[in-house]
Amino acid sequence: MIPWLRAYVLALACLLWVGLPLRQRVDRPRTGHPLSTAPGSSPVQEVTTSLPWLLPAATRQAWQAIPGATTSWRFNRATLHLPTVPAAPLAPTFRVVFVADLAPPDHADLLEQFVIEMAALRPDVVLVGGDLTYAETEAWYAAVEAQFLQLERLGIPVLVAAGNHERKGWPLFLRHFGHSPAFRVDIGPLAVLTLDSAHGRDQLTPSQFAWLEDNLNTLDGRTPIIQLHHPVFPAGSAIKGEAGGSGGSLMGFQKAFVRLCQDHSVPAVLSGHWHSDAVFDSAGQLRDDTVDFPGTKFIVTTALGNELRQVTRWPQSYHGYRILDFDRGRLVRYTADEPGSGRRSPIASTPLGVPASRKGTGR
Amino acid sequence: MSAIWILLYLAGLCHLLALNGFDLQRPAAWLILLPILALLAGGPLRRRAPGLFAPAVLRVAGLLGLAGTLLLARHLHLAGWDVRDAWPDLLAATGGLGSLWVLLGSAEAAAPGAPHWIWIAFWLLTGFLDPALPLVGAGLAGFLSAWGLLPGRPVPLDPPPVMGRTTLVFFLMGLTLSKPGWDFGPRPDWALAGAALGIGALVTQVGPLRLRFARIPDLALPLGIGLLAIAYAPGLLLPWGALLGILVALAWDRAPRPFANARLGGSLLLGMLFSFALHANLWLPGLRHLLWLGN
């Protein structure tokens, strides 16, 4: 008995040695993980500390100074529950921009161009659907984070999802964009649910699916939209070639996921990964016939800056992003107009303008 | 000590690598393989060069094992393992080799008892704080054993032949153990299953229950552990972990003594690698329905 007691005393000493001096990692708010700001929502701040149930003094004092806020613990995960955001009339319109498959370092100008265009467009939120960097270097991750910080300084929150390429530089992704790849942010009329579809090697896993189900059951009247890196459906009969092997789709819980979206009237599920545009209905059919069909829109958006591919029969190919407009929480627009005609395209995203540095280079 | 090293260090290292990536194109990454190679080749080495496992050497190894795992955990805590950095590879290899050396030099005569399983439960639970911390549990146990601060004595015997079924059980154990890790990914909840495993194993050591569990037929072990690989549900994480713990403890109880570290530890490692390969290839027809309930 005594030897084991001695062992546990030493074990506690080891834990203290690892955890001291007391330090923390801010999980929220941080770049890519903003606070919920929707009226009636309950924003939380989250930190992970180096020892359980102990906050660094500065954080403890700052948290205690917030009137009405309460703290809860799960071992070394501290959550500060801020007072509920007061109810207020919502603006009738709400604009979301979704972007995925960003630029590698040699196409940095495309990312800069995107930030310039967002500064002009002023969406209410930007969703970044994975494959952020394509280069596993600290410098490039920092550069991409700096671009997102620019948007946040403009008052445009950025929500970052992890893609399959993030796995190659996973510690860098965690360091720059947080350790909670699946999270919820209530903003405007929306509950934005960000998933990590590469979490279990190109699939959803049971715990994440259960998390999604729980959140869809507690929407409190908000309109849910979901972003995840992988498209939910394969190209199916609309397939057009191999697309460099990049035509993969969600493997885990795909049918249950679609059913869940139908049951909770999710208007849009946003994905990237294919480097090309596509829109599917709940039956997995490519809808290049109409922009107006019932049920969830499973929307795939082209790459912002990486190599373009053609996965389905949809012929248009360009770098771009997707603008989604909501009117009182209802999705009213998710495609760009057809050039010249002014009619709404059934699938097309918004092309990225040509950066000044590329004008005249024949891009 | 075998259960402590295999479940805390070996399984913990595999979990860390699955979480953070492993790139054998970097020379430093090969360092991590040293403890694994030593696990597989340690038995013959001990027979040929017993001087390498003298008490003084074991004490130094135990100290290195503790220092390596402690420094590794401190380095990774709250930050994660940057696989481009050689320092964690060196620390993981030092910690693993040091604690393994103690295990090889003090082959155990008896199955792990209640204190060992409580130790495993405690350190697996610390995985909630950081996935590198369970490795410290192996390093500290090695240090304490080498310095005579934990009960146990060296048994200079070769392991008896191990039956195929025992090997299969440890293979299936590796396959099943890693399920919560694949499921939760960067979320720390997998550690709760680990703690439940330790508690479940502890239950098998409680007086009257011990006799009841002894009546469970051997065949139930591979069947039960294999079934748990399929019947995994995050909503039932704790009962699932406890049930697995019971079967794991029974498997360790029934393994021939001294424990065949190389064969059974190697089988468990193979099971973990196979589990990784299965879960990384869910596009294969039928596989995803088999591996995740309700998928």
Side-chain angles (χ1 to χ4, degrees):
Chain A
M1 195 66 179
I2 296 292
W4 282 103
L5 283 177
R6 192 167 47 204
Y8 280 101
V9 171
L10 283 173
L12 290 175
C14 287
L15 291 178
L16 286 174
W17 191 79
V18 171
L20 290 174
L22 198 58
R23 51 204 190 274
Q24 67 178 23
R25 181 186 72 216
V26 176
D27 294 329
R28 197 178 199 185
R30 59 176 299 155
T31 313
H33 295 249
L35 289 177
S36 289
T37 54
S41 66
S42 306
V44 292
Q45 291 184 22
E46 293 168 338
V47 301
T48 301
T49 59
S50 58
L51 287 173
W53 302 294
L54 289 172
L55 272 176
T59 305
R60 191 177 62 243
Q61 285 159 12
W63 283 18
Q64 282 171 348
I66 301 172
T70 56
T71 304
S72 65
W73 283 93
R74 210 166 164 236
F75 296 94
N76 62 335
R77 320 268 154 158
T79 304
L80 179 72
H81 303 269
L82 295 165
T84 303
V85 179
L90 284 171
T93 60
F94 193 83
R95 175 164 282 180
V96 175
V97 164
F98 176 82
V99 63
D101 304 288
L102 308 189
D106 56 342
H107 288 62
D109 54 339
L110 297 179
L111 186 55
E112 288 163 13
Q113 177 67 23
F114 173 72
V115 172
I116 291 167
E117 290 184 25
M118 290 305 104
L121 189 68
R122 293 283 174 155
D124 295 292
V125 62
V126 167
L127 310 184
V128 184
D131 283 8
L132 276 65
T133 65
Y134 298 102
E136 293 77 48
T137 65
E138 173 63 34
W140 184 235
Y141 265 90
V144 172
E145 186 186 359
Q147 296 290 355
F148 294 164
L149 279 170
Q150 278 199 51
L151 293 176
E152 290 181 349
R153 278 191 215 106
L154 291 169
I156 304 169
V158 179
L159 278 67
V160 172
N164 53 308
H165 275 271
E166 269 63 80
R167 259 56 196 183
K168 293 181 182 169
W170 190 235
L172 291 171
F173 176 80
L174 297 181
R175 191 181 307 154
H176 288 277
F177 301 108
H179 285 242
S180 316
F183 60 99
R184 168 177 173 168
V185 177
D186 292 344
I187 187 163
L190 305 180
V192 183
L193 301 165
T194 298
L195 297 175
D196 176 10
S197 60
H199 174 76
R201 316 282 155 187
D202 296 349
Q203 52 152 333
L204 280 187
T205 55
S207 63
Q208 208 181 160
F209 183 75
W211 176 88
L212 175 67
E213 202 169 12
D214 285 349
N215 276 279
L216 286 174
N217 284 328
T218 53
L219 289 170
D220 298 329
R222 294 184 183 85
T223 303
I225 59 169
I226 298 170
Q227 69 160 337
L228 76 171
H229 182 65
H230 286 81
V232 175
F233 291 106
S237 59
I239 195 162
K240 177 91 174 185
E242 288 280 319
S246 71
S249 60
L250 191 68
M251 294 291 173
F253 293 90
Q254 189 236 33
K255 284 182 183 161
F257 180 87
V258 173
R259 208 164 39 241
L260 207 57
C261 291
Q262 286 173 307
D263 291 349
H264 291 85
S265 306
V266 177
V269 175
L270 304 165
S271 307
H273 188 61
W274 281 359
H275 301 203
S276 64
D277 285 332
V279 175
F280 293 91
D281 61 18
S282 295
Q285 297 299 312
L286 183 78
R287 296 308 296 258
D288 51 357
D289 54 334
T290 175
V291 74
D292 190 21
F293 60 89
T296 306
K297 276 81 180 163
F298 294 89
I299 302 167
V300 187
T301 298
T302 186
L304 179 81
N306 207 344
E307 174 197 356
L308 296 170
R309 296 168 186 153
Q310 191 177 359
V311 177
T312 68
R313 61 177 177 250
W314 179 251
Q316 296 177 17
S317 186
Y318 46 77
H319 291 127
Y321 49 87
R322 190 169 293 275
I323 301 172
L324 298 99
D325 285 330
F326 291 82
D327 184 355
R328 292 172 183 82
R330 198 169 61 86
L331 178 64
V332 292
R333 187 182 188 88
Y334 60 94
T335 59
D337 289 341
E338 287 176 357
S341 72
R343 282 184 315 196
R344 286 163 68 185
S345 156
I347 283 182
S349 57
T350 300
L352 187 70
V354 180
S357 60
R358 293 199 176 206
K359 280 181 182 155
T361 60
R363 172 182 162 256
Chain B
M1 183 67 193
S2 65
I4 289 175
W5 194 85
I6 288 171
L7 293 176
L8 295 183
Y9 181 84
L10 190 62
L13 182 69
C14 287
H15 181 239
L16 276 174
L17 296 178
L19 210 56
N20 297 290
F22 184 46
D23 181 7
L24 278 176
Q25 290 176 344
R26 293 177 315 105
W30 288 85
L31 286 171
I32 295 172
L33 299 183
L34 288 178
I36 293 165
L37 289 176
L39 172 73
L40 301 178
L45 186 66
R46 190 181 171 208
R47 278 194 300 276
R48 285 180 195 163
L52 289 176
F53 297 88
V57 178
L58 292 188
R59 281 198 286 274
V60 174
L63 201 57
L64 283 174
L66 176 59
T69 52
L70 258 180
L71 286 168
L72 177 73
R74 195 178 160 98
H75 183 75
L76 300 185
H77 194 25
L78 298 183
W81 187 328
D82 190 339
V83 290
R84 300 160 310 152
D85 189 358
W87 185 234
D89 297 322
L90 182 65
L91 292 176
T94 308
L97 265 180
S99 48
L100 175 73
W101 217 253
V102 179
L103 167 66
L104 294 174
S106 52
E108 61 199 17
H116 299 90
W117 290 116
I118 297 174
W119 186 258
I120 288 167
F122 172 80
W123 282 102
L124 283 176
L125 186 61
T126 65
F128 196 96
L129 309 182
D130 193 288
L133 280 171
L135 278 66
V136 178
L140 180 57
F143 168 79
L144 292 169
S145 295
W147 287 77
L149 299 173
L150 274 188
R153 60 193 171 82
V155 180
L157 291 172
D158 285 335
V162 177
M163 303 297 287
R165 186 181 288 166
T166 311
T167 309
L168 174 68
V169 168
F170 276 78
F171 173 82
L172 290 170
M173 202 188 289
L175 194 147
T176 310
L177 269 177
S178 21
K179 294 281 297 190
W182 304 147
D183 180 23
F184 286 101
R187 285 170 58 193
D189 299 64
W190 63 270
L192 303 179
L197 181 145
I199 300 297
L202 174 67
V203 167
T204 64
Q205 308 296 314
V206 177
L209 287 175
R210 190 180 174 86
L211 296 174
R212 284 181 183 271
F213 282 118
R215 290 190 209 125
I216 293 177
D218 286 350
L219 190 62
L221 301 187
L223 284 177
I225 294 174
L227 200 63
L228 284 174
I230 298 166
Y232 167 84
L236 297 170
L237 190 65
L238 298 183
W240 181 90
L243 203 52
L244 180 61
I246 289 171
L247 297 171
V248 164
L250 292 178
W252 237 285
D253 268 351
R254 295 176 190 188
R257 300 288 140 186
F259 189 81
N261 291 306
R263 178 158 179 160
L264 297 181
S267 300
L268 187 134
L269 177 65
L270 205 61
M272 293 191 92
L273 296 177
F274 187 63
S275 182
F276 178 81
L278 281 180
H279 289 83
N281 286 291
L282 285 195
W283 50 270
L284 291 173
L287 202 54
R288 59 177 180 267
H289 307 296
L290 190 66
L291 289 176
W292 295 126
L293 273 185
N295 185 8

